[in-house]
Amino acid sequence: MEIKDSGSVVLTAYHSYAPSRLPRVEQSFVPELAAASPPSGHAVSSRKSIPRCRRINRMLSNESLHPPTFSRSNSQASVDSTSMEDFWCEVESIKENSEGGQEEQTVTEVKPADEGELEAEWLQDVGLSTLISGAEEEDGQALLSTLTRTQAAAVQKRYNTYTQTMRKKNKHSVRDVRDIFGVAESPTPFEPVPVSLVPANGVQVPGKKPVWKAVNSNSCLDCGLDKDTPSVAEELSFEVSFSESITEIPKEKEGLKSQRFKKEDSSLTKFIVRKSRFGLTEVGDLSVEDMKKIRYLSLIELTAFYDALGIELKRNRTDKVKGRENGLFGVPLTVLLENDQKKLPGIKVPLIFQKLLQKLEETGLETEGILRVPGSASRVKNLRQELESKFYDDTFDWDQVRNNDAAGLLKMFIRDLPSPLFTVEYLPAFIALVERISKIKLQLQALHLLIMLLPDANRDTAKAFLIFLKKVVANEGKNKMSLWNVSMIVAPNLFIYKGKRSNQEEMQAAATTAHIVRLLIRYQDILWTVPSFLITQVRKMNEAAINNTKKQPIFDKSMRKLLRRKTLERERPEKIEATSPRTSKTLPTSPSSRRKSDIPEGVIRVHAPLHSKVSMAIQLNGQTKAKDILARFHCENSHDSPGSLKIQNQSLYEIGGNIGQHCLDPDAYMLDLYHANPHAEWVIKPKTS
């Protein structure tokens, strides 16, 4: 049962009452606390001497003057005040550090948008700037041809708004929506439809439906699995568009005040993602160009997803400010990586960030209160200055750094980024997925699409950070830092940024942002996996681009001659080997039969430049997996012991055809991939980390 006092603070009642213990407080008190002042009975001098986090808890204690006499319902969710104290103490620590004489950093500021500008920027961000310019470019047409019903409706809605605004402003003529979609200008209202088993634009293996594997140790991706999580798991599907899967629109006005979530880890659902026959694909497994298309499609899908739920997808417009070009703290991630890559080519996470994580993982994971207990402000300030001058010279002494000080430097690095790790633009979308969506599954799907939208540098750095946080939680028995504790400490460092009008808005969402961090940590393995329906759409985009290219005579005589020479070089007598978990047979072939047009059905040529046997033709069957082909090459080269370790660390790649580059899941069924992309080349090489 809940009791409301005159101060609009919702309190959860209990049978017993202990004056020395703080009452448990429902989440809905958070907005009031953000702007609340200390009780009037305290003198000004007393308020200055007591940290803000303790003043808030004292206020809560004084608000409840009479012992509650009712029992608390087990079904009612809550966030206790001690957890909130962690959040506000962290906010106080951040404030003290920012006032400690550190140099002012360049920040990204939010600016208001004029009418129609948000829609125009949205169309540009999803790769459809041609709808604004009026140009007939192939990339935009290819993208439009792959959209699902709900995605097309989202694009049409934004384009309608943009055209109506431009007509009012009378700036220039715009294309009629009927020229793009071939439908009436006024969009039809959204009506959810039942989910089909096959994606609307999916690459379908002829004569086959998507097949789900039986559960075993490697056939699914488990998230939320530990001793405290529920034994009953819910299955997530990546085969069908999230927005197409929504069959029920939530009740209107479902906002923060109706949200209740428990801080116990057991309240989070356990999800399982079954591997389809194509396996699972992580964000780093695709080429840069294909990931760019994934971002286009993810923003369209996220918009369609929010439209289906009746939620407005709000985005902040920001002024892009140039940050520092050298140093460590307050430097944009892209600049840091450019500088670091001169020293270590291919690096994806800034070196200073990696080193701070390494220091904490080696010595700090079992430190009680790590992340929560602050280090010395003066020591952290001095260490920061010393790092700035000595880090790249390799003269900095890491042994002098205490664990709590290292944690303070880590959080300071994240806070001082000119643009937040999870970007200013989509902060409202992060907040809305918790405040406006009640089901964990739908929250996770929205969060998944937001992660797909992150720039490469932000995503890779966030991934390294979340992996570290997962390790902290795994050592809860020694460091006393539960998932909720870690989330409450990390949230203000990630979601309270230094732009104008930011403090009040983000600080009011204390428990909301903490829940977001909790989802990020718990379900990170799912979040780094690219939904297969998006990969299917990328394949169709690439196929459309290939078809458009074939219409243009771009191959001159010299290019054809070069391609013919390359083809002849590859045509050497060799054996076709059938590789499967059970059988292996050899088929004799002639040089002429090695031409691609004459290759038997289901036979692929696999190249392995780093192996002693650099090429092998393999007959596929319904059970051949990527790992079987890797095992075959490893067996053929096992006599070469010095390089055996390198061979084991290599992966099979799908290159060309309707995909740029795709590192295959070892459990992917090759015959299915062959049918989906018959013109691909198959190469074994080291996987880039």
Side-chain angles (χ1 to χ4, degrees), residues 107-127:
V107 298
T108 304
E109 295 185 354
V110 178
K111 61 179 181 179
D114 294 333
E115 188 178 7
E117 287 187 357
L118 286 177
E119 287 74 20
E121 290 184 359
W122 186 90
L123 290 169
Q124 291 175 350
D125 290 345
V126 300

Side-chain angles (χ1 to χ4, degrees), residues 374-384 402 404-405 409:
S376 167
S378 60
R379 281 200 310 268
V380 170
K381 179 182 177 181
N382 292 334
L383 287 170
R384 168 179 172 155
R402 304 180 185 182
N404 291 330
D405 293 342
L409 288 168

Side-chain angles (χ1 to χ4, degrees), residues 184-465:
E185 184 172 350
S186 57
T188 56
F190 172 76
E191 296 180 2
V193 295
V195 181
S196 60
L197 294 177
V198 182
N201 288 298
V203 174
Q204 180 69 32
V205 177
K208 292 186 178 182
K209 294 184 178 181
V211 179
W212 298 98
K213 298 168 48 182
V215 181
N216 57 51
S217 58
N218 295 317
S219 66
C220 59
L221 183 64
D222 293 338
C223 273
L225 178 60
D226 58 32
K227 62 181 181 180
D228 296 324
T229 51
S231 57
V232 178
E234 186 173 353
E235 187 172 295
L236 285 177
S237 173
F238 288 167
E239 299 298 304
V240 182
S241 160
F242 296 158
S243 58
E244 293 282 346
S245 302
I246 297 175
T247 57
E248 180 182 355
I249 300 178
K251 296 179 181 179
E252 295 183 0
K253 298 181 181 180
E254 183 184 61
L256 175 63
K257 292 186 178 180
S258 64
Q259 272 287 52
R260 296 289 185 270
F261 46 78
K262 298 180 181 180
K263 74 181 185 68
E264 290 80 9
D265 297 353
S266 59
S267 64
L268 295 177
T269 308
K270 174 190 172 184
F271 291 106
I272 292 181
V273 179
R274 303 283 185 202
K275 286 186 179 182
S276 71
R277 294 186 67 88
F278 293 103
L280 297 176
T281 301
E282 296 184 0
V283 287
D285 293 342
L286 296 175
S287 66
V288 174
E289 284 301 315
D290 284 343
M291 278 306 302
K292 184 178 180 181
K293 295 166 187 173
I294 290 289
R295 290 191 188 92
Y296 291 159
L297 292 163
S298 294
L299 181 51
I300 296 175
E301 173 65 15
L302 179 68
T303 307
F305 186 79
Y306 275 43
D307 285 351
L309 293 173
I311 302 171
E312 180 183 1
L313 177 60
K314 295 182 179 180
R315 296 197 303 162
N316 288 327
R317 296 182 72 248
T318 58
D319 285 321
K320 295 183 179 179
V321 182
K322 186 177 181 180
R324 297 173 56 193
E325 295 184 355
N326 50 59
L328 300 174
F329 295 82
V331 181
L333 288 173
T334 52
V335 175
L336 276 173
L337 287 173
E338 287 175 5
N339 296 334
D340 291 347
Q341 286 168 357
K342 296 175 183 177
K343 188 174 182 179
L344 288 175
I347 193 171
K348 295 184 178 181
V349 179
L351 286 173
I352 179 61
F353 196 72
Q354 289 189 44
K355 191 60 182 178
L356 288 169
L357 292 177
Q358 180 184 350
K359 168 67 178 177
L360 288 168
E361 289 181 7
E362 289 177 351
T363 63
L365 289 179
E366 296 181 358
T367 302
E368 185 171 341
I370 192 65
L371 295 176
R372 182 181 68 233
V373 178
S376 167
S378 60
R379 281 200 310 268
V380 170
K381 179 182 177 181
N382 292 334
L383 287 170
R384 168 179 172 155
Q385 294 173 350
E386 192 175 348
L387 276 168
E388 293 278 10
S389 61
K390 297 182 178 181
F391 179 74
Y392 285 115
D393 296 334
D394 294 327
T395 58
F396 182 79
D397 181 14
W398 285 97
D399 292 335
Q400 67 172 325
V401 182
R402 304 180 185 182
N403 293 328
N404 291 330
D405 293 342
L409 288 168
L410 181 70
K411 293 185 291 184
M412 181 183 292
F413 176 89
I414 294 172
R415 293 195 306 270
D416 286 353
L417 289 172
S419 179
L421 197 57
F422 291 106
T423 71
V424 175
E425 289 84 351
Y426 296 104
L427 181 59
F430 276 99
I431 301 299
L433 75 88
V434 175
E435 295 187 352
R436 300 294 307 280
I437 303 174
S438 60
K439 294 183 178 180
I440 294 291
K441 180 178 179 179
L442 297 178
Q443 291 177 359
L444 180 57
Q445 289 175 325
L447 189 60
H448 198 170
L449 294 171
L450 283 165
I451 292 298
M452 293 295 106
L453 288 173
L454 291 179
D456 291 339
N458 295 59
R459 186 193 64 236
D460 294 334
T461 304
K463 182 177 181 180
F465 185 47

